[in-house]
Amino acid sequence: MAAQTYTNPVYPDYFADPFVWQHQGVYYAIGTGPAEAAGQVEDRHQRRVFPLLRSHDLIRWEFAGNALQRPDPALGDNFWAPEVAYCDGTFYLYYSVGHEDKRHQLRVATSSNPLGPYQDAGQPLVDPEACAFAIDPSPFQDDDGQWYLFYAQDFLDTEDGVRAGTALVVDRLISMTQLAGEAKVVLRARQDWQRFLADRPMYGGIYDWHTLEGPCVRKYGGQYYCFYSGGRWETDSYGVDYGVAEQVMGPYSDVGNAAGPRVLRSVPGSVLGPGHNSIAVSPDGQADYIVYHAWDTKMEARRMCIDLLHWTPDGPRCQGPTWTPQSL
């Protein structure tokens, strides 16, 4: 059979923070749509949040409705970065909701169908009073069946060379809707390319703010790789790097990225700000593909792209971002 070809983006409409999973031979994708990103959910979707896509080959996608029954509007109008886990016959949709970039909380919703509707479980995963800004929840199941949740939250300290800003943590799920409350730091920003904004007013102070977000964990060769996006999502500094650990709870190290993100980075004049990835297995089960969003050169929309992920002796690398025809 001749190889199929595709050209990025693989879906023409706005579809940021793409998370792809496979269930019973069908690929599903869920992401942040334009209304969710702009805080206009009530105007655009009324009762349902987060666009869903469906595919049989990873490259041809169709819109399949919206996933989440909107929870209490008082929680906010910005809904970001959903991901889905399947456990014991139930689909769990993890997401954040809040008001612009000031207060965001992590929540989970459930459904018996991959396309929903998903019903919110009724309580936050992390206490909003103890953690005012938590985003980008990413569930991961280890080989022994135990589930964990990786996510991003804000830090203000700058000891031992770390930078103030948003960074990554992990906690164990004692059930699919409850965390153990024993979060550990996964990675903190340490590099200039991870800067989000200098002199940013935050929490009553002014900070040189750095950002690590969009965690995605994959176990390979007995090690845990936590992919993440660093920098500012609206600029060409944004890209995908990773940390590696011997244990799922860490410690993780991303040493070696001083020159910039090692997995995906902007290609001036062609692709801007590739990031917030998930990982999907090819239809034949033989290859890993990194699924991410990227801006067009006019920065009109973030759209879903895929590219082959290579596991090299130096760590994971990607042949992308690509914008010309590729073989699947």
Side-chain angles (χ1 to χ4, degrees), residues 67-71 93 95 108-111 116-122:
L68 174 68
Q69 291 181 344
R70 188 179 184 188
L93 191 166
Y95 68 100
V108 60
T110 63
S111 175
Y118 290 83
Q119 179 67 48
D120 187 83

Side-chain angles (χ1 to χ4, degrees), residues 152 166-168 187-189 193-194 210-214 228-231 254:
T166 306
L168 308 178
L187 291 168
R188 295 284 304 273
W193 68 267
Q194 298 164 339
H210 291 64
T211 292
L212 307 184
E213 61 187 11
Y228 67 86
S229 297
D254 61 354

Side-chain angles (χ1 to χ4, degrees), residues 131-149:
C131 179
F133 189 77
I135 61 171
D136 296 355
S138 183
F140 170 78
Q141 187 180 31
D142 207 350
D143 295 338
D144 62 1
Q146 176 64 53
W147 286 90
Y148 299 84
L149 193 71

Side-chain angles (χ1 to χ4, degrees), residues 21-238:
W21 80 101
Q22 197 173 16
H23 182 71
Q24 296 181 347
V26 178
Y27 289 103
Y28 298 91
I30 189 169
T32 305
E36 287 84 0
Q40 299 171 346
V41 165
E42 193 164 15
D43 294 338
R44 287 286 301 276
H45 297 319
Q46 296 182 357
R47 295 185 298 274
R48 295 282 282 274
V49 182
F50 293 128
L52 279 162
L53 309 178
R54 182 168 45 197
S55 173
H56 292 281
D57 59 10
L58 201 56
I59 58 177
R60 289 178 293 231
W61 295 88
E62 62 178 5
F63 179 68
N66 295 298
L68 174 68
Q69 291 181 344
R70 188 179 184 188
D72 183 356
L75 295 173
D77 295 320
N78 290 89
F79 292 80
W80 296 346
E83 296 201 8
V84 172
Y86 179 69
C87 181
D88 297 331
T90 299
F91 297 89
Y92 296 86
L93 191 166
Y94 298 87
Y95 68 100
S96 77
V97 59
H99 305 271
E100 297 181 352
D101 60 354
K102 296 179 181 179
R103 292 187 67 87
H104 256 256
Q105 61 177 265
L106 301 183
R107 300 185 72 89
V108 60
T110 63
S111 175
S112 60
N113 188 305
L115 295 177
Y118 290 83
Q119 179 67 48
D120 187 83
Q123 60 185 11
L125 288 162
V126 178
D127 181 5
E129 297 303 318
C131 179
F133 189 77
I135 61 171
D136 296 355
S138 183
F140 170 78
Q141 187 180 31
D142 207 350
D143 295 338
D144 62 1
Q146 176 64 53
W147 286 90
Y148 299 84
L149 193 71
F150 290 76
Y151 59 96
Q153 70 175 54
D154 288 349
F155 294 87
L156 301 182
D157 66 290
T158 56
E159 299 176 358
D160 300 322
V162 298
R163 314 286 179 92
T166 306
L168 308 178
V169 300
V170 58
D171 199 353
R172 182 172 55 89
L173 283 159
I174 58 177
S175 74
M176 297 302 286
T177 59
Q178 185 179 358
L179 289 168
E182 302 168 352
K184 291 188 176 181
V185 173
V186 173
L187 291 168
R188 295 284 304 273
R190 294 177 178 273
Q191 307 297 342
D192 290 346
W193 68 267
Q194 298 164 339
R195 179 177 287 112
F196 181 89
L197 185 66
D199 300 325
R200 187 184 190 193
M202 295 290 288
Y203 300 101
I206 303 294
Y207 296 91
D208 185 15
W209 198 261
H210 291 64
T211 292
L212 307 184
E213 61 187 11
C216 167
V217 176
R218 188 66 177 267
K219 190 174 184 180
Y220 184 85
Q223 295 185 303
Y224 299 86
Y225 291 85
C226 181
F227 295 78
Y228 67 86
S229 297
R232 183 169 182 138
W233 62 279
E234 301 161 303
T235 72
D236 60 5
S237 72
Y238 199 64

